[in-house]
């Protein structure tokens, strides 16, 4: 059996050798003659045969050979595994380095895009704030024209009598006040719209800033990771980090997040540009409308002033003519009075003659031509005095009418003078401030 086992070992039949079992027989003192007591001396309890000894040695040879073979195989397998794992680890690490660099490039790209969008959004916020400031300045600038127009209306309430008319100047002033109030409401609406758009832009800016901040942090961390090597110092194991967070973002959701932020920022910038264009159009249109209406009001003032000057001139001419006529009438009245006075002497003469001739005696008291002539003379003088008296009364009445007309003319001239003073000295002078400050009202 030992010979066969050695032969199997030499021939390389390890598996058969390992399955070979050396028979083992234990002999006790009762079954071997060597274990029987001799001469009363007790021998050791256990004894092995040469066959057992040889088998034990063969078994040790076999075990030793098997262990060496297993160890050799294990070494070969360990060497292969070492080379394989080293190569796999190297390839994996190289692949991770490439992926890290790709990730860094990807972060750099999105960081650049987000930063560019952030700068554009910042610029658009500044542009819209400038547009809003212009709107606010335009709104403030409308206060002066509104104050001037309302003040002119208040001043023109000081017109008197017949001059307190609802003329074209008043119509245009009321239209100007209404237009300015509508412009102020429209400008205020544009300011509120700009505020809402600024809020949207600032929200986009906040999202972009947060995204850029996160990308800068991620860029720094991944750059730090890319700089690590097997020879780097201060490295340690972090078992808690060796996991995939199910709540973390995927590359698709990562890019979609930045893409959505960029898209939303671009959308809000387009809306902001439209808002600025609308603001500019509103300011340009309202400025033109306001200036056009201001010119219309001023033209109405000029026309109305000319009309009042002509009316006042005509009144003054009529007053002068009336005054001349009053003077002539006074002369006429004086002449009539003098004419009536001059009739007194002829009347006395005629009466005296008639009275004297009434003393003629008897038949001498005849109705001769003289008598008829004297009676006719008295009647004629009486008619003349009555006619002159009637003309004197008419002249006095006409004089009173002329005096009344003169007073009316003077009052009307005073009314016109007051109206001219209001329109020229107060309203037009006040409206000249709009011309001097046109650059402030020009939105």
């Amino acid at each position: 059996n030992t010979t066969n086992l050695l032969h199997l070992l030499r021939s390389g039949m390890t598996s058969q050798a390992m399955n070979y079992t050396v028979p083992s027989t234990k002999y006790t003192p009762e079954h071997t003659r060597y274990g029987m007591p001799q001469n009363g001396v007790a021998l050791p309890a256990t004894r092995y045969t040469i066959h057992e000894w040889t088998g034990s040695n063969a078994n040790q040879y076999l075990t030793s050979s098997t262990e060496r073979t297993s160890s050799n195989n294990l070494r070969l397998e360990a060497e292969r595994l070492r080379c394989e794992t080293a190569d796999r680890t190297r390839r994996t690490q190289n692949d991770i380095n490439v992926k890290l660099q790709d990730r860094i490039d990807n972060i750099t790209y999105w960081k650049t895009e987000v930063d560019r969008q952030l700068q554009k959004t910042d610029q658009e916020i500044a542009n819209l704030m400038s547009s809003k400031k212009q709107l606010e300045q335009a709104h403030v600038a409308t206060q002066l024209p509104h104050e001037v127009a309302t003040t002119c209306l208040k001043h023109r309430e000081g017109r008197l009598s017949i001059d307190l008319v609802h003329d074209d100047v008043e119509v245009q002033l009321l239209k100007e006040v209404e237009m300015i109030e509508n412009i102020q409401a429209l400008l205020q609406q544009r300011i509120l719209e700009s505020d809402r758009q600024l809020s949207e832009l600032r929200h986009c800016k906040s999202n972009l800033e947060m995204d850029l901040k996160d990308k800068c942090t991620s860029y720094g961390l991944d750059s730090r990771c890319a700089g690590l090597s097997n020879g780097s110092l201060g490295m340690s194991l972090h078992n808690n980090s060796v996991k995939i967070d199910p709540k973390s973002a995927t590359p698709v959701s990562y890019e979609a997040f930045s893409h959505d932020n960029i898209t939303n920022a671009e959308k809000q910038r387009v809306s902001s540009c439209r808002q600025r264009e609308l603001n500019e159009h509103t300011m340009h249109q309202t400025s033109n409308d306001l200036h056009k209406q201001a010119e219309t009001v001023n033209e109405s003032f000029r026309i109305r002033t000319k009309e009042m000057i002509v009316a006042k001139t005509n009144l003054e001419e009529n007053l002068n003519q009336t005054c001349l006529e009053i003077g002539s009438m006074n002369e006429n009245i004086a002449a009539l009075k003098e004419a009536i006075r001059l009739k007194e002497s002829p009347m006395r003469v005629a009466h005296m003659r008639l009275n004297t001739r009434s003393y003629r005696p008897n038949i001498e008291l005849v109705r001769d031509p003289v008598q008829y002539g004297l009676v006719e003379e008295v009647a004629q003088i009486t008619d003349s005095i009555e006619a002159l008296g009637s003309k004197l009364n008419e002249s006095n009445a006409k004089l009173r009418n002329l005096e009344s007309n003169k007073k009316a003319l003077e009052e009307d001239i005073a009314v016109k003078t007051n109206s001219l003073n209001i329109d020229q000295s107060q309203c037009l002078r006040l409206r000249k401030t709009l011309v001097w400050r046109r650059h402030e009202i020009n939105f």
Side-chain angles (χ1 to χ4, degrees):
N1 293 334
T2 303
T3 303
N4 293 335
L5 178 60
L6 293 174
H7 177 72
L8 290 173
L9 291 172
R10 291 190 189 98
S11 62
M13 299 177 64
T14 307
S15 60
Q16 296 182 10
M18 291 178 66
N19 295 330
Y20 182 83
T21 303
V22 178
S24 178
T25 303
K26 184 179 290 186
Y27 295 91
T28 61
E30 290 77 14
H31 298 87
T32 179
R33 56 186 174 86
Y34 298 102
M36 296 297 293
Q38 297 180 359
N39 299 324
V41 179
L43 297 175
T46 301
R47 287 287 188 273
Y48 297 95
T49 63
I50 293 300
H51 179 73
E52 292 173 336
W53 179 80
T54 303
S56 175
N57 291 334
N59 191 33
Q60 292 294 333
Y61 302 155
L62 177 62
T63 301
S64 175
S65 178
T66 301
E67 291 297 329
R68 288 197 304 276
T69 302
S70 176
S71 175
N72 183 60
N73 292 336
L74 181 60
R75 284 188 299 101
L76 294 175
E77 183 68 21
E79 184 178 0
R80 182 190 64 79
L81 182 61
R82 260 192 340 269
C83 293
E84 180 181 345
T85 55
D87 183 64
R88 183 168 65 244
T89 300
R90 183 174 56 258
R91 283 186 286 104
T92 301
Q93 195 174 65
N94 290 336
D95 182 62
I96 292 299
N97 289 336
V98 172
K99 289 181 179 179
L100 268 174
Q101 188 58 48
D102 291 342
R103 180 60 182 166
I104 290 172
D105 293 341
N106 182 261
I107 293 174
T108 301
Y109 167 76
W110 284 109
K111 184 165 68 71
T112 302
E113 287 297 313
V114 170
D115 184 59
R116 185 166 62 88
Q117 295 296 327
L118 180 59
Q119 292 178 5
K120 289 184 177 181
T121 303
D122 273 335
Q123 183 61 45
E124 185 58 34
I125 289 175
N127 293 339
L128 186 56
M129 289 183 66
S130 177
S131 177
K132 178 193 169 186
K133 184 177 180 180
Q134 291 176 356
L135 284 172
E136 292 172 343
Q137 291 174 345
H139 188 276
V140 172
T142 58
Q143 295 177 1
L144 176 61
H146 186 270
E147 181 181 352
V148 168
T150 53
T151 303
C152 287
L153 286 171
K154 291 179 181 178
H155 285 332
R156 298 191 92 239
E157 289 297 318
R159 292 174 296 167
L160 303 173
S161 186
I162 192 63
D163 275 14
L164 191 60
V165 295
H166 186 61
D167 53 6
D168 186 62
V169 175
E170 185 170 356
V171 171
Q172 296 303 328
L173 281 172
L174 290 172
K175 184 178 179 181
E176 185 178 39
V177 170
E178 182 181 5
M179 178 183 291
I180 294 173
E181 290 175 351
N182 291 335
I183 288 174
Q184 288 176 338
L186 182 59
L187 291 174
Q188 186 63 37
Q189 179 183 350
R190 294 290 178 263
I191 291 172
L192 294 177
E193 291 173 354
S194 299
D195 281 335
R196 286 193 291 268
Q197 187 59 53
L198 279 171
S199 177
E200 292 293 336
L201 285 173
R202 290 190 179 105
H203 179 68
C204 291
K205 178 185 176 182
S206 176
N207 290 338
L208 290 172
E209 287 176 338
M210 186 178 298
D211 195 8
L212 181 61
K213 180 182 178 182
D214 292 343
K215 281 176 171 50
C216 289
T217 302
S218 179
Y219 177 83
L221 294 175
D222 282 349
S223 297
R224 179 183 176 187
C225 290
L228 293 176
S229 64
N230 296 331
S232 299
L233 300 178
M235 295 188 296
S236 60
L237 298 178
H238 300 275
N239 294 326
N240 293 332
S241 299
V242 186
K243 60 182 180 179
I244 301 296
D245 188 357
K247 296 181 180 180
S248 60
T250 64
V252 175
S253 63
Y254 168 82
E255 293 189 359
F257 178 79
S258 296
H259 181 268
D260 290 343
N261 285 338
I262 292 174
T263 302
N264 190 37
E266 290 176 342
K267 179 182 177 181
Q268 293 302 327
R269 286 202 306 274
V270 170
S271 298
S272 178
C273 288
R274 291 175 180 172
Q275 183 64 49
R276 287 192 292 110
E277 291 175 357
L278 183 59
N279 293 346
E280 184 177 356
H281 174 73
T282 299
M283 289 187 290
H284 179 73
Q285 186 64 43
T286 53
S287 176
N288 288 340
D289 292 343
L290 188 58
H291 291 151
K292 183 178 179 181
Q293 182 60 28
E295 290 298 329
T296 301
V297 173
N298 291 340
E299 183 63 22
S300 297
F301 265 114
R302 285 191 288 269
I303 293 174
R304 185 59 178 165
T305 300
K306 288 180 181 179
E307 292 175 349
M308 286 191 291
I309 290 174
V310 170
K312 180 173 177 288
T313 302
N314 292 334
L315 289 172
E316 288 173 344
E317 290 178 358
N318 279 273
L319 178 62
N320 291 332
Q321 294 295 328
T322 302
C323 289
L324 292 175
E325 185 61 28
I326 288 174
S328 298
M329 185 58 69
N330 284 324
E331 292 177 358
N332 178 60
I333 291 173
L336 287 173
K337 289 180 178 180
E338 180 64 20
I340 292 173
R341 187 185 66 79
L342 292 175
K343 294 295 186 287
E344 292 178 356
S345 293
M347 178 67 77
R348 291 192 188 97
V349 171
H351 275 271
M352 194 66 182
R353 286 175 176 175
L354 285 172
N355 185 57
T356 302
R357 295 188 83 233
S358 66
Y359 291 106
R360 290 175 299 166
N362 300 317
I363 195 66
E364 292 298 321
L365 187 64
V366 295
R367 292 174 291 178
D368 54 6
V370 176
Q371 188 70 22
Y372 282 107
L374 288 172
V375 171
E376 184 179 355
E377 182 184 13
V378 170
Q380 182 183 6
I381 294 174
T382 302
D383 290 339
S384 296
I385 291 173
E386 289 178 356
L388 290 171
S390 176
K391 286 299 178 183
L392 179 61
N393 292 333
E394 290 179 9
S395 295
N396 285 324
K398 183 57 66 176
L399 179 61
R400 287 192 297 271
N401 291 338
L402 288 172
E403 292 288 349
S404 177
N405 182 249
K406 175 187 175 185
K407 182 178 180 182
L409 289 171
E410 290 173 342
E411 290 177 353
D412 205 3
I413 290 172
V415 169
K416 296 295 183 292
T417 302
N418 176 69
S419 299
L420 281 171
N421 179 62
I422 290 174
D423 285 351
Q424 285 185 318
S425 301
Q426 298 181 25
C427 295
L428 284 176
R429 182 177 297 177
L430 182 62
R431 294 189 66 81
K432 286 182 180 179
T433 59
L434 298 179
V435 178
W436 288 107
R437 302 181 65 178
R438 185 183 180 92
H439 65 283
E440 297 182 9
I441 306 172
N442 190 4
F443 311 142

